[in-house]
Amino acid sequence: MKKLLLFLVLCATLSAVAQPSSNPKLPIVRVTQKDGKYGLSDNSGKCLVPNVLDHIKTYYKREYMITVKYNKEYFIVDRKGCIVANAGRALPMTFDQFVVINRDLAIDCNGKELFPGKSVSPISLLSGENRFYLFANKPKGDKNSRYQLVTINNEVVSGKLNGYYTPISSGAIIFSNFQASQCGVLNSLGDVLVPCKYSSVESFNFNELRYECKLDKTKLPKLYDSHLFSTLGLFVAQRDSYYTIYDQSGSQLTQPKIYKNATEAIKKNFKKSILPHFMRRGYVMQSIQEKINNPNRIRYEEYIAAANRLPIYSSSGKSLSAHIAHLQEHPNVSDYTITECFERGKELYNSDKYQQAIPWLLRAAEGKHYPAYRCLADSYNNSKQFQKANSWYKRCVKELTPSSNDYWFACMILGGMYKSGRGCEKNYDTSLYYLRLFHQNTTPTNKSTASEMIAEVVALKNKATARPQQSASRGSSSTSSSSSSSKHSQYTPAPNTMPNGTKKVYYMNKAGHIASISTKYYEKGSLTPKAYWSGQLFVYKGGGAGTGYIRYYSRSYSQNGAWVFIECDMYGRVMSNGRKLYVANDWSYIKEGNEVFNIPISKEKFDSLQPKGHINTGGGYNNSNNGSSNSNDSGRSYVDGPCKYCGGGGGCSSCGGRGYKYNPYSGHNDTCPSCNGSGRCFNCRGTGKQATY
């Protein structure tokens, strides 16, 4: 009796083990959508992942993991919103309880690799409504591309048959190894249904057979239920020019015979052999299914048992939401193209998120994407990184065309920066240089603003230069260590002032030759182009009439510490093979051809040495001005009067005293360039009074 009871308990236990394990109930996850972005929430409405995702792959209720996409990268998350793996830019394949990344890496819900060191290709097999998997795998790095068929427990199914495996709807698997001239058919247990000795094997389901053979109606479907009919099919195996037909259970229906192709073999044998065979076997279909479906049922139960031992949830505990927030703060911009970086940076820039926009715009700007220059400079400026802003505004001026709005806007900002010493050393001459470029290239509506800014800097410069000279007139003496440049400073303009405004200076060289140069800024009139700097050189070598000449120069540019002018005609047009005139940035010399003039002299001395007439003009437009324009207003007396710009109120007339003004080009409230954000009048500095001479 005890033995009988023990036997019954053992049978019940084995019966329970044989039943497929039911999948645990998975939490319900819902997809949310807002502004074209996707997110995830649980059944109670709690947010698992915010609406920042670009894509969520459609998932089935039985899938434990979900594929999402953020900024061109795919992530695998479990149903709690925790990261299982980062799949990179390749769309992963999500299955019931595992995921395949890059077509060869299978991982479970914990991110653990199922087949370490192997490249895998999952084979989905159907058995009724059930789906299970075998895997074709091979060692990574194997160049022969030959796979073995294994279970989810990594047990080899295919024995010594190494090649390719293709599942078909009946549940069978076509094996092929073209290098060894081996093709055949296996079931999921590895049993051979069609011998692996053929050069190729093709499968046909019954619907394809009816189409190829133009058979509209038969009694055959009445012998099968819908599922059996959908899985009904044939295999046509070829060896040399001979074709042999097998049914899905492995029964051979025809003898090898020569045909043109597999379709002809089916058409020739359909009514004679194939249709009668399926009519006969329709009544005993159960015997056919025993060779196909029963092995699949065993495999399904084995898969469910093994898959249920895999973890359901990730043990990483790393929330995808937290990871996305980290990526937003620390973007890996190198993974994106220049255009993508600019679009992302411009989006953040337009949202006033300047600090976040900088890394994106920096990569775009370093990649010579010119629209990013101005946005990057503005982002640095608004983030209080003034030195970097100054550098990128200069690159706007250097590399962009004057017709660009970003060009004149950068000139305006640089003028303000050099006026106030923000991010650079204060320099009124450099400020005027950029502001005049701003005035020259901006839109007509901004001309008045540019003029006001220039007038402010000129006033500041005059005050700065007047004080030292007044102190010197009160008795301060020069030291004995004064340099030669200081000795002649009364004859030359300040350093780095070329070609701002109108200048005229006088020089001599060791040979006793004298020269004068005058530069003038042209902005309007009939000259071409409408605005440029022009220089007029007068040279007299002594020895009487006819030994002096006047030449005209145009199109100035900076090179190796000197301004370079090119010879032009009277209309300001550059002459072919024209000479070049070099003027040092610090006004220490002027050079034409091989002759250098480097001894500054006074106008009085120059007038005493120059001839009274008979000078060869050499042609050109006379743009000289008599007298030096470099003189300042030092020593003149003045009284305080009401400021002509603010009317005595002391507030900035450009921004209305707010310190900022709306820029229609950028769409932002930018710091007022006139008052530099102080709200005070640029002319009287908020006092309401003005020096009147």
Side-chain angles (χ1 to χ4, degrees):
M1 178 63 76
K2 291 182 179 180
K3 292 183 178 180
L4 179 60
L5 290 174
L6 182 62
F7 176 75
L8 292 175
V9 171
L10 181 61
C11 289
T13 303
L14 293 175
S15 176
V17 172
Q19 295 298 322
S21 302
S22 60
N23 290 344
K25 187 176 181 180
L26 297 176
I28 297 176
V29 180
R30 302 185 185 279
V31 178
T32 60
Q33 185 175 5
K34 183 179 180 181
D35 299 330
K37 299 289 185 178
Y38 301 91
L40 294 174
S41 63
D42 61 16
N43 195 32
S44 66
K46 178 183 177 182
C47 178
L48 300 176
V49 181
N51 294 91
V52 295
L53 303 175
D54 301 313
H55 170 74
I56 295 180
K57 182 185 175 185
T58 303
Y59 58 91
Y60 300 97
K61 291 183 179 180
R62 61 173 176 263
E63 291 178 345
Y64 288 3
M65 293 175 285
I66 304 168
T67 301
V68 301
K69 182 182 180 182
Y70 174 77
N71 268 0
K72 302 203 177 219
E73 283 192 318
Y74 290 95
F75 295 88
I76 312 299
V77 297
D78 63 16
R79 288 177 174 256
K80 290 184 177 180
C82 292
I83 297 177
V84 177
N86 184 343
R89 296 202 171 194
L91 177 65
M93 296 182 289
T94 307
F95 299 94
D96 290 2
Q97 294 176 330
F98 64 92
V99 173
V100 176
I101 299 175
N102 292 328
R103 300 182 179 270
D104 64 355
L105 175 64
I107 61 173
D108 62 18
C109 294
N110 247 344
K112 180 182 178 182
E113 190 173 353
L114 293 179
F115 305 97
K118 299 290 183 68
S119 297
V120 300
S121 177
I123 296 177
S124 175
L125 298 174
L126 300 176
S127 177
E129 295 182 355
N130 301 320
R131 183 176 68 171
F132 68 100
Y133 304 92
L134 293 175
F135 298 86
N137 68 10
K138 66 170 183 175
K140 290 182 179 179
D142 184 359
K143 296 181 180 180
N144 295 324
S145 300
R146 291 181 296 183
Y147 292 80
Q148 281 189 323
L149 193 64
V150 299
T151 68
I152 197 171
N153 292 321
N154 206 13
E155 298 171 350
V156 178
V157 173
S158 56
K160 295 182 179 181
L161 296 175
N162 298 329
Y164 295 94
Y165 298 90
T166 306
I168 57 177
S169 59
S170 66
I173 303 169
I174 295 179
F175 164 79
S176 58
N177 184 348
F178 299 106
Q179 294 178 346
S181 298
Q182 290 180 317
C183 287
V185 181
L186 312 175
N187 63 17
S188 62
L189 291 176
D191 300 330
V192 177
L193 303 180
V194 175
C196 299
K197 63 180 182 179
Y198 295 97
S199 57
S200 67
V201 175
E202 295 182 58
S203 65
F204 294 84
N205 60 43
F206 194 73
N207 286 328
E208 291 174 328
L209 297 177
R210 293 175 63 182
Y211 174 78
E212 294 290 351
C213 301
K214 298 180 181 180
L215 183 65
D216 295 330
K217 295 180 180 180
T218 67
K219 297 180 180 180
L220 185 61
K222 297 180 180 180
L223 303 176
Y224 302 88
D225 61 27
S226 58
H227 169 66
L228 294 178
F229 177 66
S230 65
T231 60
L232 192 62
L234 295 174
F235 300 108
V236 180
Q238 177 189 2
R239 188 174 186 179
D240 298 328
S241 298
Y242 292 85
Y243 291 83
T244 306
I245 301 176
Y246 294 85
D247 75 354
Q248 62 188 22
S249 67
S251 300
Q252 184 174 337
L253 304 185
T254 64
Q255 295 298 318
K257 191 174 180 180
I258 297 177
Y259 296 101
K260 292 181 180 179
N261 49 46
T263 301
E264 184 185 31
I266 290 175
K267 288 182 178 180
K268 295 289 186 181
N269 292 279
F270 185 77
K271 292 184 178 180
K272 179 180 177 181
S273 302
I274 296 173
L275 187 58
H277 169 76
F278 283 120
M279 293 290 289
R280 291 192 303 269
R281 299 301 296 269
Y283 298 100
V284 289
M285 192 61 186
Q286 185 63 36
S287 63
I288 300 176
Q289 290 299 302
E290 286 176 357
K291 291 188 177 182
I292 297 296
N293 284 355
N294 282 356
N296 286 359
R297 185 68 183 179
I298 296 171
R299 282 288 179 242
Y300 172 75
E301 294 171 358
E302 175 189 306
Y303 167 75
I304 290 298
N308 282 341
R309 291 193 292 269
L310 299 176
I312 298 177
Y313 298 113
S314 169
S315 62
S316 70
K318 186 176 182 181
S319 168
L320 178 61
S321 299
H323 183 62
I324 289 175
H326 175 77
L327 291 178
Q328 290 175 339
E329 292 294 330
H330 306 86
N332 187 12
V333 297
S334 60
D335 292 337
Y336 298 85
T337 65
I338 300 300
T339 304
E340 290 170 348
C341 286
F342 173 69
E343 291 174 353
R344 176 62 176 159
K346 188 64 180 295
E347 179 182 351
L348 294 169
Y349 169 80
N350 290 334
S351 302
D352 297 336
K353 299 177 180 178
Y354 302 112
Q355 195 63 44
Q356 296 180 24
I358 285 174
W360 299 96
L361 294 173
L362 180 60
R363 172 164 166 75
E366 288 177 341
K368 294 291 185 179
H369 191 74
Y370 296 124
Y373 283 23
R374 151 80 188 289
C375 295
L376 177 61
D378 285 350
S379 297
Y380 277 130
N381 198 22
N382 290 315
S383 301
K384 310 296 184 184
Q385 302 180 58
F386 299 124
Q387 290 184 346
K388 293 181 178 179
N390 182 278
S391 174
W392 279 101
Y393 281 129
K394 284 183 177 178
R395 288 191 63 172
C396 288
V397 177
K398 180 179 179 181
E399 299 184 31
L400 303 184
T401 60
S403 60
S404 167
N405 288 333
D406 289 344
Y407 177 91
W408 64 254
F409 185 88
C411 292
M412 178 186 69
I413 298 297
L414 285 170
M417 296 182 85
Y418 278 99
K419 179 197 72 174
S420 60
R422 189 175 73 251
C424 56
E425 185 177 353
K426 185 184 294 186
N427 190 316
Y428 295 132
D429 291 317
T430 306
S431 175
L432 287 172
Y433 168 68
Y434 286 114
L435 291 178
R436 283 168 178 145
L437 288 178
F438 165 45
H439 186 276
Q440 173 184 343
N441 296 285
T442 190
T443 57
T445 57
N446 293 328
K447 291 287 186 180
S448 60
T449 301
S451 299
E452 290 178 3
M453 295 178 68
I454 292 172
E456 177 192 6
V457 177
V458 169
L460 292 173
K461 178 183 176 183
N462 288 338
K463 284 186 178 181
T465 55
R467 292 194 187 102
Q469 293 181 3
Q470 289 173 359
S471 300
S473 66
R474 287 193 290 265
S476 60
S477 59
S478 59
T479 62
S480 59
S481 59
S482 298
S483 63
S484 60
S485 60
S486 299
K487 179 180 178 181
H488 299 290
S489 60
Q490 57 179 314
Y491 306 137
T492 59
N496 300 312
T497 56
M498 178 70 73
N500 295 330
T502 302
K503 309 291 181 187
K504 188 167 185 177
V505 291
Y506 310 92
Y507 284 89
M508 178 184 288
N509 62 11
K510 294 181 180 180
H513 301 166
I514 60 173
S516 69
I517 179 174
S518 62
T519 63
K520 190 173 183 179
Y521 173 70
Y522 286 90
E523 185 177 355
K524 297 179 179 179
S526 60
L527 300 177
T528 304
K530 296 297 183 184
Y532 64 91
W533 285 274
S534 177
Q536 175 182 298
L537 176 70
F538 169 84
V539 175
Y540 177 62
K541 298 184 178 182
T547 59
Y549 58 86
I550 296 176
R551 291 201 182 101
Y552 304 100
Y553 293 87
S554 173
R555 313 295 197 278
S556 61
Y557 61 91
S558 181
Q559 182 184 63
N560 298 329
W563 289 94
V564 184
F565 292 79
I566 304 174
E567 188 178 13
C568 63
D569 62 15
M570 63 180 299
Y571 300 105
R573 295 174 297 203
V574 174
M575 299 176 64
S576 60
N577 301 320
R579 287 175 286 261
K580 291 183 179 180
L581 172 67
Y582 297 86
V583 181
N585 287 352
D586 60 358
W587 294 86
S588 59
Y589 69 86
I590 59 175
K591 176 183 177 182
E592 186 195 42
N594 296 324
E595 191 156 20
V596 177
F597 301 86
N598 55 6
I599 305 174
I601 59 176
S602 66
K603 181 180 184 300
E604 290 75 14
K605 185 173 182 179
F606 180 85
D607 290 340
S608 66
L609 295 176
Q610 69 171 320
K612 303 303 179 182
H614 304 287
I615 301 298
N616 296 325
T617 62
Y621 177 76
N622 191 344
N623 58 355
S624 64
N625 64 310
N626 294 324
S628 173
S629 66
N630 189 51
S631 62
N632 53 53
D633 295 323
S634 62
R636 293 194 295 168
S637 61
Y638 61 87
V639 295
D640 288 335
C643 176
K644 65 179 181 179
Y645 289 99
C646 67
C652 177
S653 60
S654 180
C655 65
R658 294 187 300 271
Y660 63 88
K661 59 189 302 184
Y662 178 73
N663 182 0
Y665 175 68
S666 66
H668 298 268
N669 284 325
D670 293 332
T671 300
C672 177
S674 296
C675 65
N676 196 28
S678 67
R680 297 191 300 269
C681 175
F682 71 89
N683 186 48
C684 66
R685 313 307 295 171
T687 64
K689 297 180 180 181
Q690 176 182 351
T692 303
Y693 295 92

